[in-house]
Amino acid sequence: MISFQGRITLAKFVLNSVPIHNMEIYKWPQSLIKEGDNIIRNYIWMGDPTKRKGVILKWEKVCKPIKEGGLEIQSLGEVNNAMFCKLHWVFKQGTKEWAKFMKSKFSSKSGDLICYHKPSTIWKGIQTGAALSKPHIEWLIGNKMQIDFWRDTWAIDIPIMEYNDLPRHL
């Protein structure tokens, strides 16, 4: 007995939120994501997740922002990927205890990755997040017009040109 607008609101804020805790760590199979999206789609159009109606609007269009003619519903696949990117980001920051533990378990003292025969399911999520976010990460250095390779500080707090003046300890 809920209106169409009410079903959209319920789908956005409840149905999409239920699996988030599990999606934060585990990669869902495509079949499960598709089934979840179908349940949400059927609920929006019919009010009953078990009844299927002819497609009124493509799911990709439904997931677009309202400004682009969509209903702003999040696809469960995109939610799963976003959770992996967040998991990877928190891991890379290394401030949380679990991130420190995972770094010590899955990397050597030199920083190289250690491959176990049966790795952690959480580690797979971190690696998926790394693969998804890597093409979108870049360094922004000032306005890109005033870079002084020799005088700017990079990895340590002194410029490269002064690095040779430091005492060497063997």
Side-chain angles (χ1 to χ4, degrees):
M1 303 308 289
I2 299 177
S3 68
F4 180 71
Q5 291 83 3
R7 290 193 304 260
I8 291 172
T9 303
L10 188 66
K12 279 183 190 179
F13 298 106
V14 177
L15 297 178
N16 265 357
S17 301
V18 169
I20 284 182
H21 178 71
N22 189 280
M23 285 184 161
E24 282 183 315
I25 299 172
Y26 303 110
K27 181 161 180 61
W28 279 26
Q30 281 302 115
S31 60
L32 190 58
I33 288 173
K34 185 176 179 181
E35 184 179 341
D37 283 344
N38 285 340
I39 289 170
I40 294 170
R41 185 195 64 219
N42 292 342
Y43 178 73
I44 289 172
W45 298 124
M46 292 296 296
D48 184 352
T50 60
K51 292 183 182 175
R52 185 179 169 123
K53 184 178 181 180
V55 177
I56 296 172
L57 198 59
K58 283 186 175 181
W59 185 245
E60 293 79 25
K61 183 78 169 174
V62 171
C63 295
K64 289 189 177 210
I66 292 173
K67 292 185 277 186
E68 296 176 23
L71 298 176
E72 223 168 61
I73 303 292
Q74 294 179 329
S75 166
L76 293 179
E78 290 179 8
V79 171
N80 202 198
N81 288 339
M83 293 293 111
F84 286 144
C85 290
K86 179 182 176 187
L87 185 70
H88 174 252
W89 178 256
V90 173
F91 172 75
K92 290 299 277 183
Q93 296 302 307
T95 56
K96 305 242 179 191
E97 290 300 317
W98 69 263
K100 292 175 187 175
F101 171 77
M102 294 297 277
K103 277 187 181 181
S104 66
K105 180 175 180 176
F106 289 101
S107 56
S108 65
K109 289 183 180 181
S110 63
D112 298 327
L113 295 180
I114 299 172
C115 295
Y116 290 103
H117 176 66
K118 190 172 181 177
S120 163
T121 53
I122 297 170
W123 183 247
K124 287 181 184 178
I126 292 170
Q127 289 177 318
T128 301
L132 288 168
S133 44
K134 187 174 183 175
H136 306 287
I137 295 174
E138 65 180 32
W139 286 96
L140 295 178
I141 304 171
N143 61 8
K144 299 182 184 176
M145 302 302 285
Q146 297 177 343
I147 299 171
D148 189 340
F149 180 80
W150 296 106
R151 290 183 182 84
D152 288 343
T153 56
W154 299 94
I156 54 177
D157 292 335
I158 59 168
I160 293 174
M161 67 183 289
E162 294 176 17
Y163 185 73
N164 287 334
D165 298 338
L166 290 177
R168 300 273 188 244
H169 297 288
L170 298 176

